[in-house]
Amino acid sequence: EAGVVQSPRYKIIEKKQPVAFWCNPISGHNTLYWYLQNLGQGPELLIRYENEEAVDDSQLPKDRFSAERLKGVDSTLKIQPAELGDSAVYLCASSPGTSGYTGELFFGEGSRLTVL
Amino acid sequence: GQQVMQIPQYQHVQEGEDFTTYCNSSTTLSNIQWYKQRPGGHPVFLIQLVKSGEVKKQKRLTFQFGEAKKNSSLHITATQTTDVGTYFCAGQNNQGGKLIFGQGTELSVKP
């Protein structure tokens, strides 16, 4: 069974440029998460989807970040414009659970963003 | 808001020595999960604890959930070089599905 697939693995851009990350969760997993991980830190939740609904986006900087999960399957996370402080690894995860019981998260390999 | 703290931040051990990392939450948790992230890799699920005072074992790894469901620990007996990585706890509170990760404990093992 295929795991969570993310692309691109690496992205280098100049500040003020836009960037987008794509995630395809494990088939049948209703819940999808985007996490931000800075070096030496634990993952921090940006947004959580249950099917196509964003049920928790309280930590998403909405002035520059946007996300969508059309048809409740794959998802994209966009940053426009990117800032130097956005350099980090963007992790996508999925789980079969719902808000009452999260269960195990399955993470993708992550997309490492470097903003110059 | 809910916070999950882990100590120590780093631990360097000689192969064969034991290792323990501790996790403390500012609020009561409904469950706690543990993940391992190898250098350059992504977090991989190890275990989930749900019951107060629960103890689970996976070979050389022992996981505990505190009686008050606010703290947890991971103990590795006789570390091996394959244990190298960062261990994260992640707690889910009673009020919703948000899983809050600790900052992790990075384990290095000297052969």
Side-chain angles (χ1 to χ4, degrees):
Chain A
E1 179 181 327
V4 176
V5 179
Q6 288 189 247
S7 68
R9 287 294 312 277
Y10 305 93
K11 189 72 175 179
I12 301 173
I13 61 172
E14 294 188 345
K15 63 181 181 182
K16 301 185 181 179
Q17 294 300 304
V19 64
F21 306 112
W22 175 81
C23 173
N24 192 30
I26 293 173
S27 177
H29 282 193
N30 299 321
T31 308
L32 182 147
Y33 312 76
W34 282 102
Y35 279 90
L36 165 73
Q37 187 174 29
N38 287 303
L39 187 64
Q41 299 295 317
E44 300 172 33
L45 181 68
L46 289 173
I47 190 168
R48 182 175 93 238
Y49 283 95
E50 289 186 9
N51 299 305
E52 66 274 9
E53 182 184 359
V55 296
D56 186 352
D57 63 355
S58 57
Q59 301 301 312
L60 189 72
K62 298 181 181 65
D63 57 335
R64 297 184 301 108
F65 286 65
S66 64
E68 60 181 10
R69 191 185 184 195
L70 299 176
K71 300 180 181 179
V73 180
D74 56 350
S75 176
T76 56
L77 176 69
K78 298 179 181 178
I79 308 174
Q80 183 172 8
E83 296 180 351
L84 295 176
D86 297 332
S87 296
V89 176
Y90 291 84
L91 292 164
C92 180
S94 70
S95 75
T98 59
S99 59
Y101 179 73
T102 297
E104 174 182 355
L105 298 190
F106 295 80
F107 282 90
E109 296 285 346
S111 294
R112 181 177 296 275
L113 174 66
T114 301
V115 182
L116 303 176
Chain B
Q2 179 189 358
Q3 289 186 318
V4 176
M5 307 297 293
Q6 263 185 273
I7 56 169
Q9 188 174 359
Y10 304 98
Q11 186 77 56
H12 309 285
V13 300
Q14 192 78 32
E15 188 172 24
E17 292 181 339
D18 292 355
F19 160 78
T20 304
T21 173
Y22 300 91
C23 181
N24 291 285
S25 170
S26 58
T27 61
T28 301
L29 301 170
S30 64
N31 64 83
I32 194 159
Q33 299 178 14
W34 285 91
Y35 290 78
K36 177 182 179 181
Q37 186 172 23
R38 295 182 184 274
H42 59 279
V44 175
F45 176 83
L46 295 175
I47 207 160
Q48 182 171 39
L49 304 172
V50 179
K51 298 177 182 177
S52 171
E54 188 170 17
V55 178
K56 287 188 176 180
K57 293 189 176 183
Q58 290 179 350
K59 297 182 180 179
R60 295 178 295 104
L61 278 61
T62 301
F63 304 85
Q64 292 187 316
F65 200 9
E67 295 289 341
K69 301 184 74 174
K70 295 182 71 174
N71 58 75
S72 181
S73 65
L74 158 59
H75 179 82
I76 302 178
T77 302
T79 55
Q80 300 175 0
T81 55
T82 53
D83 296 325
V84 165
T86 301
Y87 293 84
F88 293 98
C89 64
Q92 183 178 20
N93 64 25
N94 290 321
Q95 298 174 339
K98 182 175 289 186
L99 198 62
I100 305 295
F101 281 78
Q103 63 266 53
T105 296
E106 183 180 342
L107 173 65
S108 64
V109 180
K110 186 176 182 180

